[in-house]
Amino acid sequence: MAGKLDGRRILITGAASGMGREIARLFAGEGAQLALLDRDEDGLRETAGGSGMAVHVCDVVDRPAIGKVVAEAGTALGGLDGVVNAAGILDIVQFDDLEPESWDRMLAVNLTGPFNVVKAALPFLRREEMATIVNIASVSALMPMAGTAGYSASKAGLAMFTKCLAFDLGPKIRANSICPGVIVTPMTHYIQDNPEHAQRAADRVALKRLGQVEDVARAALFFSTEESGFTTGIELPVDGGFSWR
Ligand SMILES: NC(=O)c1ccc[n+]([C@@H]2O[C@H](COP(=O)([O-])OP(=O)(O)OC[C@H]3O[C@@H](n4cnc5c(N)ncnc54)[C@H](O)[C@@H]3O)[C@@H](O)[C@H]2O)c1
């Protein structure tokens, strides 16, 4: 059976864990050729398994290294039709205790990281008739939450960066962001480790459950195919009904 991503070559950051890993699994199953990027080598190898997917160990903040690695990845695949930026970090801390280093690092990884990756991938994406950029932002881009000044600012920046990309890079390149609510991944272990906390988080949303990585991966698939061919520059909440309340 034909896969929805047959013939498409896609670079995924944050592919060593959580959503990035599941996006890699789903996209590979849909026929994509993938380049997986993360700073965590062991996690990347676990994601790739024995599939022969290309893995690239790199920190998205390291601009020269990203330039080199993305160029290598695009050359090895014979081009790039899409990028998914899933690498990210979260530090929840009240503003009084938010250290400048933490602020700097969240902005660097969550906002400048996608900038570095898109800049490096652009010469490849430009060559294609239909290229896609998917940035994993957060509901924190849409609404304030306690203790997330740095994280929310980085994700709101990422969502607006994505809209501006949609303007500047269209019509042949589309750019969209996904805004997940609480999704079960290593990043949210602090919620999952406390059953009462997890239950409260589920009760808060219309669909009465925490999100799963599959929920986000399916949205990333939609944005990476022609099925979303007239959609660009949007923020799609994948949050069970949280951010609209
Ligand atoms: N889990 C949630 O509830 C949730 C909600 C909203 C948004 N998000 C966002 O979704 C994305 C994926 O998060 P996740 O939940 O899968 O987390 P995760 O911690 O499971 O995975 C994040 C991955 O990013 C990688 N990474 C972090 N910093 C990096 C860097 N500087 N360079 C390269 N790789 C780096 C990590 O090694 C890890 O493999 C992140 O951008 C996160 O901010 C997560």
Side-chain angles (χ1 to χ4, degrees):
M1 211 173 74
K4 291 181 177 173
L5 294 171
D6 280 348
R8 292 184 71 74
R9 299 147 300 180
I10 298 180
L11 173 83
I12 303 171
T13 78
S17 178
M19 295 177 206
R21 171 174 286 173
E22 176 58 20
I23 291 167
R25 196 198 61 76
L26 179 65
F27 281 24
E30 292 290 349
Q33 289 174 268
L34 299 177
L36 310 181
L37 190 152
D38 204 290
R39 64 180 175 185
D40 170 4
E41 182 169 3
D42 291 345
L44 269 184
R45 297 210 179 281
E46 205 178 308
T47 301
S51 67
M53 279 183 231
V55 299
H56 303 273
V57 182
C58 195
D59 187 320
V60 294
V61 174
D62 185 342
R63 188 170 295 149
I66 283 291
K68 188 165 168 286
V69 159
V70 173
E72 280 169 9
T75 304
L77 291 175
L80 282 177
D81 302 279
V83 168
V84 178
N85 280 302
I89 54 170
L90 165 69
D91 194 6
I92 297 191
V93 55
Q94 286 294 321
F95 185 71
D96 301 72
D97 301 319
L98 178 59
E99 298 293 343
E101 294 73 21
S102 171
W103 167 272
D104 288 347
R105 184 74 187 158
M106 279 189 279
L107 269 288
V109 175
N110 297 349
L111 181 54
T112 307
F115 167 86
N116 292 340
V117 171
V118 171
K119 266 283 181 196
L122 193 57
F124 294 97
L125 301 176
R126 280 280 190 212
R127 284 185 219 143
E128 305 305 324
E129 282 308 306
M130 197 280 278
T132 53
I133 296 167
V134 180
N135 290 329
I136 310 294
S138 168
V139 287
S140 301
L142 309 174
M143 56 193 286
M145 274 177 270
T148 69
Y151 184 74
S152 296
S154 72
K155 293 297 190 177
L158 181 60
M160 186 53 77
F161 169 60
T162 310
K163 283 184 186 300
C164 295
L165 286 179
F167 254 123
D168 285 356
L169 305 185
K172 292 206 298 189
I173 303 175
R174 295 184 293 106
N176 291 289
S177 49
I178 297 172
C179 295
V182 178
I183 309 292
V184 176
T185 73
M187 184 178 278
T188 52
H189 68 86
Y190 68 98
I191 295 178
Q192 299 155 50
D193 291 350
N194 179 337
E196 275 177 36
H197 200 161
Q199 190 60 51
R200 268 204 308 278
D203 286 344
R204 240 188 352 238
V205 306
L207 297 183
K208 303 297 175 211
R209 66 172 175 87
L210 302 184
Q212 300 296 327
V213 287
E214 292 81 358
D215 296 312
V216 177
R218 283 192 291 264
L221 177 62
F222 171 67
F223 283 138
S224 300
T225 69
E226 192 56 41
E227 288 182 14
S228 59
F230 199 48
T231 302
T232 195
I234 72 157
E235 296 123 15
L236 179 69
V238 177
D239 64 359
F242 178 50
S243 55
W244 44 260
R245 293 185 312 141

